[in-house]
Amino acid sequence: MGNPNGFKDLPRRTAKKRHPSERVKDWQEEALVSSEAELRSQASRCMDCGTPFCQMGTVTNGLTAGCPLYNVIPEWNELVYRGNWREAYNRLVLTNNFPEFTGRACPAPCEGSCTASIPTESVTIKNIEQAIIDKAFSEGWIAPKVPAHRTGYTVAIVGSGPAGLAAADQLNQHGHSVTVYERDDRPGGLLMYGIPNMKLEKQIVERRVQLLQEEGIEFICDTEIGKAITLEALQAQYDAVIFATGAQKARELNLEGRELSGIHNAMNYLTASTKFLMDGTPLEPSLNAKGKRVIVIGGGDTGADCIATAIRQGCESVVQFGKHPRLSVQRTDNNPWPEPPQVFTLEYSHEEAATVLGKDPREYGIISQAFVGENGAVKGVKTIEMVKDPETGAFSEVDGSEKIWEADLVLIAIGFQGSETEYMIPKKQEPLENHYETASAGLYVAGDARRGQSLIVWAIREGREVANVCHQYLMTAIQSVS
């Protein structure tokens, strides 16, 4: 603990951001680079507490508490404070394959569990993590690590999101020959097409994919397993197969009028927008928010990303519906530390909407009842207000609160209900020796495809763990047969 008074004497200061009125003019990341002096000062706020809850990585009351990757956060905070950046980088990558992704796109449950948040405010862990990996790239400390020896075993990984990439990285470093299959035109999964450029610039993803390729991993895109190649053919070709396809089966709103044009699942909208940004792939007119009144149904991060995208496309207005009441500005009794705080915050897109369009776009306690159309196109959403009983959690309708909200583009962002490839994965009926196995030897499933919609840190952890299980299988089960 280099500065025992840091958390008491120094206020929390996150990285400065570009003004909303400026950043909505482009698709670049919002944060500005902090000075080294500021980063070292913020790192000195780490208490190096006896039990570092920031790295415990568990689920409590349905919420992720601490870092599921078990990042040794106090260690690299101390090293940054002392200016030992390269040693900090070495500590960081002991547990995290892709800090440049988590430092940008993770919601940072580690900060919610930071002990310093009890007497003051949490350490800016996420900012420091990003600063470490960005410095490592800029200083040239990161170079391809090509395995010295190959085992002769081959592994196919289906899906190139964070879980698939982490599994590929780990297995490749063990010396196995890894091929990653991606159904889209570029590797990266949700890192590429599910997270907007403003939160994760795509050259950051491409840089990591290129590094993995230089280390010996092969990527095959535009290839959907189950269509272009059967699972049986894949298993016959490789010694092991890992499904890390994510949970991209979007939840639907099967309401009256759903067939109207101009109503889209959020992920389809975000994907199309990113493809247009990257290579000029024309947007369908119904997927372009320019000049339109936009309604986003769903109060989560994906919905917030839709708001930021619509603003940059030049929407006339945007409203976001959430069924829950507005959160408290402070923790409630049923949300104790070290759970991540469930409190009211102003996300980047909400700040942009308030600045550019004049108001926070969020509406609370709203349930959609039907879509209203004209000439086959959506023209509005019929809703009713709901109130939530604080004791039972039950919702009830508010009489007389029906309303029709005008809209030309409606985006459904109410989460996901599982993997689209689940039908291909044979279930194991008896108790599992490990929870990544399936009923077929050498076939594994990991990430959101296994656990359901979750965080990027859980995906990377699962990728690392399934790689270890797969490696043990290759080096024992297969080796003993041969």
Side-chain angles (χ1 to χ4, degrees):
M1 189 173 181
N3 184 358
N5 294 318
F7 71 96
K8 295 187 293 182
D9 297 343
L10 299 170
R12 171 186 165 95
R13 287 181 179 157
T14 57
K16 293 181 180 178
K17 299 177 182 179
R18 295 186 295 144
H19 193 273
S21 62
E22 289 299 317
R23 64 186 192 237
V24 297
K25 297 176 182 177
D26 57 50
W27 299 80
Q28 298 170 9
E29 292 180 2
E30 58 174 338
L32 299 171
V33 178
S34 299
S35 68
E36 180 164 336
E38 182 65 29
L39 288 163
R40 291 176 65 177
S41 172
Q42 288 300 302
S44 78
R45 298 186 65 249
C46 181
M47 298 172 66
D48 193 19
C49 46
T51 301
F53 288 88
C54 60
Q55 64 185 58
M56 64 182 177
T58 188
V59 176
T60 174
N61 198 24
L63 301 171
T64 297
C67 179
L69 288 170
Y70 307 133
N71 284 335
V72 286
I73 295 165
E75 293 188 27
W76 40 260
N77 275 333
E78 170 76 5
L79 289 164
V80 167
Y81 166 61
R82 296 189 179 280
N84 297 327
W85 287 89
R86 186 153 193 171
E87 290 82 357
Y89 162 70
N90 291 336
R91 291 290 197 285
L92 178 57
V93 295
L94 282 175
T95 56
N96 189 348
N97 300 67
F98 314 121
E100 69 270 34
F101 301 157
T102 55
R104 289 170 166 83
C106 180
C110 53
E111 294 188 12
S113 301
C114 174
T115 308
S117 66
I118 300 175
T120 58
E121 292 184 279
S122 64
V123 176
T124 56
I125 299 170
K126 183 175 174 178
N127 285 354
I128 296 167
E129 177 182 17
Q130 180 182 336
I132 294 170
I133 189 65
D134 286 354
K135 189 174 184 67
F137 272 108
S138 66
E139 294 290 335
W141 300 337
I142 301 175
K145 297 185 295 181
V146 180
H149 303 285
R150 290 293 178 182
T151 64
Y153 295 119
T154 58
V155 182
I157 295 177
V158 184
S160 64
L165 292 181
D169 190 18
Q170 295 293 110
L171 287 164
N172 182 62
Q173 291 304 313
H174 280 307
H176 307 304
S177 297
V178 180
T179 302
V180 179
Y181 288 88
E182 170 56 52
R183 70 178 180 180
D184 226 316
D185 61 341
R186 290 180 174 88
L190 290 183
L191 297 168
M192 178 60 68
Y193 288 127
I195 302 173
N197 218 60
M198 301 81 75
K199 290 170 70 173
L200 176 61
E201 293 190 9
K202 301 314 161 191
Q203 60 263 35
I204 300 293
V205 181
E206 292 174 326
R207 178 180 63 185
R208 177 59 70 172
V209 169
Q210 181 180 347
L211 185 65
L212 295 173
Q213 288 175 317
E214 292 171 358
E215 293 174 341
I217 298 172
E218 181 183 6
F219 289 87
I220 299 177
C221 296
D222 289 314
T223 303
E224 185 170 355
I225 304 305
K227 292 184 179 179
I229 303 174
T230 66
L231 173 59
E232 293 74 20
L234 206 65
Q235 288 180 289
Q237 184 178 351
Y238 294 91
D239 295 309
V241 176
I242 297 172
F243 268 80
T245 50
Q248 295 193 45
K249 188 189 297 181
R251 288 196 179 97
E252 259 295 353
L253 272 181
N254 295 312
L255 303 177
E256 178 186 346
R258 177 62 181 87
E259 75 284 353
L260 295 167
S261 67
I263 305 172
H264 299 276
N265 289 321
M267 202 54 61
N268 294 340
Y269 172 68
L270 293 175
T271 297
S273 299
T274 299
K275 287 186 176 183
F276 173 75
L277 177 65
M278 295 192 69
D279 55 23
T281 301
L283 279 172
E284 291 180 31
S286 67
L287 280 168
N288 191 342
K290 184 176 178 60
K292 294 180 180 176
R293 300 160 297 180
V294 179
I295 287 179
V296 179
I297 301 176
D301 288 342
T302 301
D305 292 338
C306 288
I307 292 170
T309 302
I311 290 172
R312 282 162 176 77
Q313 290 178 345
C315 66
E316 178 183 317
S317 63
V318 61
V319 179
Q320 183 180 24
F321 294 161
K323 71 175 183 179
H324 294 282
R326 175 172 167 161
L327 293 171
S328 168
V329 295
Q330 294 182 325
R331 286 183 184 268
T332 57
D333 291 341
N334 62 354
N335 176 219
W337 179 90
E339 292 178 1
Q342 301 300 291
V343 297
F344 178 82
T345 57
L346 194 66
E347 297 294 335
Y348 80 108
S349 61
H350 302 143
E351 183 183 26
E352 290 168 357
T355 301
V356 178
L357 301 175
K359 69 182 292 290
D360 188 322
R362 289 172 286 186
E363 296 287 340
Y364 303 95
I366 299 290
I367 292 292
S368 302
Q369 294 182 310
F371 300 109
V372 179
E374 182 179 304
N375 299 323
V378 69
K379 288 300 175 184
V381 181
K382 181 181 178 182
T383 68
I384 191 167
E385 293 182 21
M386 307 288 285
V387 291
K388 185 178 182 180
D389 188 303
E391 294 186 3
T392 66
F395 288 88
S396 58
E397 296 181 354
V398 177
D399 291 337
S401 64
E402 293 87 352
K403 179 178 178 179
I404 293 179
W405 304 72
E406 294 182 334
D408 309 298
L409 173 61
V410 177
L411 303 171
I412 302 172
I414 56 175
F416 303 87
Q417 57 182 359
S419 170
E420 293 173 333
T421 57
E422 186 177 356
Y423 73 96
M424 283 192 285
I425 301 171
K427 302 296 183 183
K428 192 168 185 179
Q429 301 302 320
E430 65 270 23
L432 300 180
E433 294 179 15
N434 68 74
H435 49 210
Y436 297 105
E437 289 179 337
T438 68
S440 180
L443 178 64
Y444 303 94
V445 59
D448 287 5
R450 187 191 73 84
R451 66 181 294 123
Q453 181 183 359
S454 191
L455 307 180
I456 184 174
V457 278
W458 280 111
I460 295 174
R461 170 171 159 177
E462 294 232 335
R464 290 171 65 91
E465 289 185 348
V466 76
N468 183 57
V469 172
C470 182
H471 173 64
Q472 294 301 317
Y473 164 77
L474 293 171
M475 302 310 290
T476 55
I478 285 190
Q479 211 168 60
S480 63
V481 172
S482 58

